[in-house]
Amino acid sequence: MPRKRLGDLLQEAGLVTEEQINETLENKKDNQKLGDSLLERGYITERQLIEVLEFQLGIPHVSLYQYPIDERVLGFVSREFAQDNVIMPLRIQENEMMIAMKDPMDYYVIDDLELSTGLSISPVIATKDDILYAINKYYYKNDGEMTTEETADTVDESPVINLLDQILTTGVQLKASDIHIDPQEAAVNVRYRIDGQLRSEKTIPKQLQNSLVARIKILADLNITQTRLPQDGRIKTTVGVTPVDLRISSLPTVHGEKVVIRILDLSSALLKLSELNFSEQNKEKYKHLISQPSGLVLITGPTGSGKTSTLYASINQMNEENVNIVTVEDPVEYQMEGVNQVQVNSAVGLTFANGLRSILRQDPNIIMVGEIRDQETAEIAIRASLTGHLVLSTLHTNSALDAIPRLTDMGIEPYLVVSSLNGVVAQRLVRKICRDCVTEREPTVMEKEIFYYNGVDVETVSYGKGCSSCHHRGYRGRIAVHEVVVIDDTIKTMLLNNRSIGDIRNYAKQDGMQFLIHDGLEKVKQGLTTIEEIMQVSISV
């Protein structure tokens, strides 16, 4: 069989242009394969890539979701080799080993395997996530069985080290935001939060619980003898080839310590404003807000709604040589070149309020406060915004306009709120329909009513019917929905006259403001998400 290049195959299939391939080749990271780079840029989907390879090379595509893998083949290929090259051995028949590969054109790997196993290799195609999932499921399963036989007093270090490695590797590969290690009476459950939803993936024997928690605490520099009080720490490490920052939180429960590990992927940390899914109208409004020389801009939403990512993207946009940007955060999530970041440390008295006071003596142009939690911080942030600084911060409220009564509830004088606040952004994260199995359908009667009531015309809506790329869930990844309120002179006058938030909401609606539900429904119309997701995060207006 003549060995063809992937770029030529994709061009022949009419999926990419020569310019796109050349641009991708010029800008791709070192050692990154062309296929991965094209996927990253969104020029092709994984499903399109598989179909081209399947059709052009005559290599079949398999879904490993419920594939009957012959576990004897695992001895022929080491776990490290399988992970590094994203391959999964499936079965051996008459001197031939079938291997699932993300890239069946990786002839070096095929040659390596033929040499090391003495078998001829028959490649089939599977998605990257599918293969990594299978590696975790089968290779580590054997490790788990090996450790269960050890009794509590003979548990040596290596099984626990391997176990933690596996838990973290699975978390990074599944793109989980958090890993929950939940002790129960008879066992320990491991759950992953993927795209905002918790999924149980594994159960660990009870006798490994203490060693596993101790291992995590040692890495995070926590006190391993203290088991009756909550503790927080962090670990900076590399999982596979991915640099990650892990936030560790331990909490004593009746069955032992529960540990939650927040995963921050440092390789894909900093987004640009253009990558935040702002609609055109909202993007222009927001850019206008952060281009002001002074004033307060707030980003609101519940925990885990991507507020910090939006703040970082904003700072990234404004980070130029001629401005002095100082932040006070708890904790500093991502370190940014050219930005002075201060970590809150309550143990030595460095609170948000104290940090903010000191920052004002540092001649800043732009100040970012991680979160306004109390009256003192709110007061200093507002004073700073009134003395010629642009201040960005976050607040926990349900909608953008609710930020105004929240500040007055904190004890801030209404006239100070009115004169300092430039605008408020409310945002939520919703699951995104998997690009590989997105399917159009007619809207139901109820959906039509929701669209009609909110003034959106729609012909069809989309859903994910489930495929191996999204583990048959129909969703993959998340996108943000926003509402942006610019506090204009009319709203300021209404606030000074003690008009209700309901009146202000009606004015904003007449002024053409997009509320969360409108932005969400536009994204449903574009086929990015579903009505079910939008209704979970927005209040109908």
Side-chain angles (χ1 to χ4, degrees):
M1 182 174 77
R3 296 190 164 184
K4 280 190 161 185
R5 292 186 321 181
L6 178 63
D8 299 337
L9 289 182
L10 290 169
Q11 258 177 274
E12 282 168 28
L15 289 174
V16 290
T17 61
E18 195 168 350
E19 292 76 50
Q20 286 174 327
I21 285 184
N22 292 337
E23 184 256 331
T24 306
L25 286 169
E26 274 171 39
N27 297 316
K28 75 184 180 75
K29 299 171 196 152
D30 296 344
N31 302 328
Q32 191 182 31
K33 292 186 174 157
L34 175 65
D36 287 347
S37 201
L38 287 166
L39 285 172
E40 208 172 81
R41 283 178 163 66
Y43 290 148
I44 53 172
T45 70
E46 204 161 10
R47 177 54 48 112
Q48 287 173 329
L49 181 61
I50 285 173
E51 281 170 0
V52 165
L53 294 173
E54 192 172 14
F55 178 70
Q56 299 278 5
L57 303 177
I59 296 174
H61 159 234
V62 298
S63 165
L64 303 184
Y65 185 59
Q66 289 171 324
Y67 193 91
I69 291 174
D70 179 354
E71 296 192 24
R72 290 172 302 179
V73 301
L74 302 181
F76 286 84
V77 180
S78 73
R79 187 182 79 214
E80 287 72 22
F81 188 84
Q83 258 171 343
D84 291 348
N85 296 291
V86 196
I87 62 166
M88 180 71 200
L90 303 180
R91 61 167 192 258
I92 297 177
Q93 272 179 333
E94 299 166 6
N95 221 20
E96 183 178 77
M97 178 157 61
M98 187 191 276
I99 295 272
M101 301 179 74
K102 176 191 74 156
D103 178 7
M105 301 175 80
D106 195 336
Y107 303 113
Y108 293 115
V109 170
I110 294 174
D111 295 346
D112 265 7
L113 283 171
E114 287 185 338
L115 276 171
S116 63
T117 60
L119 301 165
S120 69
I121 299 299
S122 156
V124 293
I125 313 168
T127 62
K128 179 182 178 181
D129 284 1
D130 231 2
I131 293 171
L132 293 173
Y133 199 72
I135 291 171
N136 279 314
K137 186 172 167 186
Y138 288 95
Y139 277 100
Y140 286 111
K141 187 160 111 184
N142 298 346
D143 287 5
E145 279 160 11
M146 179 182 77
T147 57
T148 53
E149 288 155 17
E150 320 243 343
T151 56
D153 23 275
T154 61
V155 169
D156 80 49
E157 284 297 295
S158 63
V160 171
I161 292 171
N162 284 343
L163 179 63
L164 182 58
D165 278 356
Q166 181 223 343
I167 289 170
L168 294 177
T169 307
T170 307
V172 169
Q173 286 169 354
L174 292 174
K175 297 190 171 57
S177 59
D178 301 86
I179 304 172
H180 290 240
I181 297 169
D182 290 334
Q184 304 299 318
E185 192 170 356
V188 180
N189 291 341
V190 179
R191 298 187 294 168
Y192 295 91
R193 190 174 291 283
I194 300 160
D195 295 339
Q197 306 235 320
L198 270 177
R199 268 163 53 181
S200 293
E201 287 291 333
K202 191 177 179 64
T203 306
I204 300 169
K206 186 73 174 170
Q207 61 262 40
L208 289 177
Q209 177 183 324
N210 292 344
S211 335
L212 179 63
V213 171
R215 171 81 189 149
I216 295 170
K217 284 178 154 186
I218 288 165
L219 291 173
D221 277 341
L222 299 179
N223 179 354
I224 60 167
T225 59
Q226 176 57 270
T227 58
R228 291 185 296 179
L229 286 174
Q231 295 189 68
D232 294 305
R234 65 189 289 180
I235 305 169
K236 211 166 185 175
T237 182
T238 302
V239 175
V241 291
T242 314
V244 290
D245 206 343
L246 305 174
R247 292 287 143 69
I248 311 297
S249 167
S250 76
L251 182 75
T253 70
V254 287
H255 297 304
E257 285 181 278
K258 171 181 163 74
V259 177
V260 175
I261 303 170
R262 163 70 55 96
I263 305 173
L264 297 169
D265 181 348
L266 298 178
S267 61
S268 61
L270 284 177
L271 296 168
K272 298 188 178 73
L273 268 185
S274 56
E275 297 168 341
L276 291 178
N277 317 112
F278 274 112
S279 66
E280 276 311 307
Q281 178 193 345
N282 284 341
K283 194 197 298 178
E284 289 316 307
K285 280 187 179 179
Y286 186 61
K287 278 187 170 170
H288 171 72
L289 285 178
I290 60 172
S291 62
Q292 301 299 312
S294 65
L296 178 63
V297 177
L298 292 175
I299 297 171
T300 73
T303 310
S305 57
K307 298 189 295 291
T308 311
S309 299
T310 304
L311 276 184
Y312 277 121
S314 314
I315 294 269
N316 214 9
Q317 168 109 352
M318 300 183 283
N319 187 7
E320 289 170 4
E321 204 177 307
N322 59 353
V323 289
N324 178 20
I325 302 176
V326 190
T327 76
V328 51
E329 303 169 58
D330 180 22
V332 172
E333 294 206 3
Y334 302 117
Q335 292 172 11
M336 298 174 76
E337 200 69 37
V339 176
N340 309 291
Q341 292 170 282
V342 177
Q343 165 85 47
V344 165
N345 184 348
S346 314
V348 295
L350 177 51
T351 59
F352 273 121
N354 289 343
L356 200 44
R357 274 197 195 91
S358 311
I359 283 176
L360 290 173
R361 296 194 281 275
Q362 290 276 322
D363 180 32
N365 301 88
I366 296 164
I367 300 169
M368 173 183 128
V369 186
E371 191 185 337
I372 292 180
R373 292 181 185 167
D374 52 41
Q375 180 180 356
E376 197 181 4
T377 312
E379 269 174 2
I380 305 165
I382 281 176
R383 301 262 176 220
S385 70
L386 292 171
T387 51
H389 305 94
L390 181 64
V391 180
L392 302 177
S393 190
T394 68
L395 204 60
H396 287 262
T397 65
N398 286 331
S399 73
L401 286 168
D402 286 344
I404 298 165
R406 172 60 54 88
L407 287 171
T408 48
D409 285 350
M410 278 182 174
I412 307 296
E413 291 293 337
Y415 73 90
L416 282 176
V417 176
V418 171
S419 47
S420 64
L421 197 58
N422 287 356
V424 189
V425 178
Q427 78 173 49
R428 301 286 188 281
L429 292 179
V430 293
R431 288 186 296 166
K432 188 177 175 183
I433 298 172
C434 170
R435 279 179 64 187
D436 287 332
C437 61
V438 61
T439 312
E440 286 193 346
R441 64 171 170 79
E442 279 224 344
T444 62
V445 175
M446 192 183 110
E447 286 169 341
K448 281 179 180 166
E449 278 177 11
I450 294 170
F451 278 114
Y452 177 73
Y453 179 69
N454 288 288
V456 181
D457 279 337
V458 72
E459 297 291 317
T460 58
V461 292
S462 301
Y463 71 101
K465 60 174 190 254
C467 64
S468 54
S469 300
C470 58
H471 298 302
H472 299 272
R473 282 183 160 75
Y475 295 100
R476 194 171 177 210
R478 290 194 289 176
I479 56 169
V481 291
H482 306 90
E483 62 186 33
V484 181
V485 177
V486 177
I487 307 293
D488 61 17
D489 290 342
T490 311
I491 294 181
K492 287 184 176 183
T493 310
M494 290 172 88
L495 284 169
L496 287 172
N497 292 331
N498 288 330
R499 297 284 289 278
S500 72
I501 292 298
D503 289 349
I504 296 173
R505 186 174 278 115
N506 289 336
Y507 160 73
K509 197 172 179 179
Q510 284 158 11
D511 196 39
M513 180 189 139
Q514 273 193 324
F515 289 98
L516 277 174
I517 186 146
H518 301 132
D519 190 35
L521 292 176
E522 283 298 331
K523 281 169 180 156
V524 173
K525 188 177 173 179
Q526 291 161 25
L528 295 172
T529 186
T530 59
I531 279 217
E532 290 80 12
E533 286 293 299
I534 299 302
M535 297 321 281
Q536 281 175 14
V537 298
S538 63
I539 308 153
S540 206
V541 289

